[in-house]
Amino acid sequence: MKKIKLALLIILSVIILAGCGKSAKEEFFDYTKKNVTENSSNDISMTIKDIKLTADMKDSPEANVMVTQLKDIKVTGSMQHDVSEKATNTKLNIEALGQKIPLEFISKNDDMYFSLDIFRGISKIASQFNSELPSDEKTLSAFDGKYLKLSDADTLEIDSKSATNLTKEFQKEVSNYFTSLDEERFTKENDVVTFKLTKKDVVVLAEKFNTLSKSKKEYKEFVIPDFDEMIKNLPKALDVKFNLNTKTNDLAVALTSTFDKKDEGFIDSIEVLYNYKPNDKQVAIKLPAKKEIVNVKEIEAILAPYLSDELDEELDEELDGDFNMADDEFKELVKELEKEDFSSFSAAESDELLEEYEPLLTEKQYKTIEKIFKNK
């Protein structure tokens, strides 16, 4: 999760850097300044242009099938930004494994809403991998037209205000870094300005982000754990190429990742293309109505009957077999249970769960689990 947050912050910060002027470098940042100081609406898309397999996997039927499936993934949509209302609306359609999945984020100030229309598509894809999710019409229709408010305290694992402040400070760090880069890294041919990022740039920005996260107590939750290990596990090479057409304001971004052979993966390199093209579809951004907003507890209530049956089936399978929970397996179980919030469970529900676990555990193990349930 921390890695995802870091990657998003770096990419977004590069896109919204400020500047002005007429050199290739300044023209690039003049475009980014315009995108955050003026209303904008862009068509966006993402495709996987190329995937190269490692030499020992080129003739593997399974690997080639997976590559074909990955290359068929497409993302199209639009992104709208209303400066005066401090609001954005991002609508995407993801095509994957024969399904079309809608994805929508709406934000205003520090509030963000996530459309739950995505649930139908995810359920269909999950069924292809024998990982069942509720697929009955009653359950699926309960999510149609509903939004989850991501900025609710019981939804996010992070403090949204601290995240906003950190992002603003990090953007200044990024701006200062790119301002210091040599003019030669920005070239222009005809109307197209080209700028490239390398793995070295990504590492520098990651270090700046982690240093900033350590600088204030309110940012401590964003400090990247095992930072050195994360950097070590980055692809062997990372290249991000920006092509900005200063006449049409079209922006094309090509991200190429090349992996080390020692990673023992089946992919040698992958190239992903992103395109941003201005459109004239600017309309008022509408926030979800109160009746359209649900919280995490309401979602859990909708899924409760299914999840309860699934848990019963899993436990029944264990009880029917010759099950013996080893110490290491029990430790993993304890770790998972300690992450869960049982505060909403009634005493009767806690006792019922304990009864399900009891045949699987030794007396000592049972007392440990009982303590977890009783203390939640």
Side-chain angles (χ1 to χ4, degrees), residues 134-295:
S135 58
D136 60 285
E137 184 59 28
K138 181 180 179 181
T139 302
L140 294 177
S141 61
F143 292 102
D144 292 343
K146 301 296 184 181
Y147 291 82
L148 175 65
K149 190 174 181 181
L150 296 179
S151 46
D152 280 345
D154 62 347
T155 303
L156 285 180
E157 297 176 354
I158 61 176
D159 181 271
S160 58
K161 184 176 180 180
S162 295
T164 300
N165 292 337
L166 174 61
T167 301
K168 290 179 180 178
E169 287 199 47
F170 181 57
Q171 287 169 359
K172 292 179 182 178
E173 290 284 343
V174 176
S175 179
N176 291 335
Y177 175 71
F178 284 104
T179 299
S180 69
L181 295 178
D182 292 337
E183 294 280 352
E184 288 74 15
R185 293 187 60 176
F186 298 80
T187 60
K188 185 175 182 180
E189 184 174 349
N190 297 323
D191 295 316
V192 179
V193 173
T194 299
F195 165 55
K196 294 180 180 179
L197 278 176
T198 66
K199 180 179 177 179
K200 181 180 178 181
D201 295 312
V202 172
V203 171
V204 170
L205 292 173
E207 290 172 340
K208 288 181 177 294
F209 175 83
N210 215 36
T211 299
L212 186 59
S213 299
K214 294 177 180 179
S215 67
K216 295 181 180 180
K217 186 177 180 180
E218 64 177 294
Y219 299 158
K220 66 178 182 179
E221 62 184 313
F222 300 97
V223 175
I224 303 170
D226 304 318
F227 179 80
D228 293 337
E229 187 67 20
M230 186 203 77
I231 296 299
K232 182 180 177 181
N233 290 329
L234 286 174
K236 181 174 66 175
L238 281 172
D239 296 287
V240 188
K241 184 178 180 181
F242 297 85
N243 283 327
L244 170 66
N245 188 312
T246 56
K247 190 172 183 179
T248 63
N249 280 338
D250 291 1
L251 176 65
V253 183
L255 169 62
T256 304
S257 302
T258 305
F259 303 93
D260 200 313
K261 293 180 180 179
K262 66 181 181 181
D263 291 337
E264 299 181 355
F266 66 93
I267 295 178
D268 178 69
S269 65
I270 181 169
E271 183 179 1
V272 183
L273 301 181
Y274 303 86
N275 287 284
Y276 305 82
K277 185 176 183 178
N279 61 43
D280 56 359
K281 302 174 184 177
Q282 188 81 29
V283 295
I285 296 175
K286 182 180 177 181
L287 297 180
K290 188 175 181 179
K291 64 181 181 180
E292 297 173 327
I293 301 172
V294 297
N295 56 41

Side-chain angles (χ1 to χ4, degrees), residues 92-96 99-103 117-119 121-122 125:
L92 302 175
N93 283 299
I94 305 170
E95 295 181 38
Q99 300 297 326
K100 290 186 177 181
I101 305 174
L103 185 65
D117 288 343
I118 191 175
F119 196 85
I122 290 178
I125 288 180

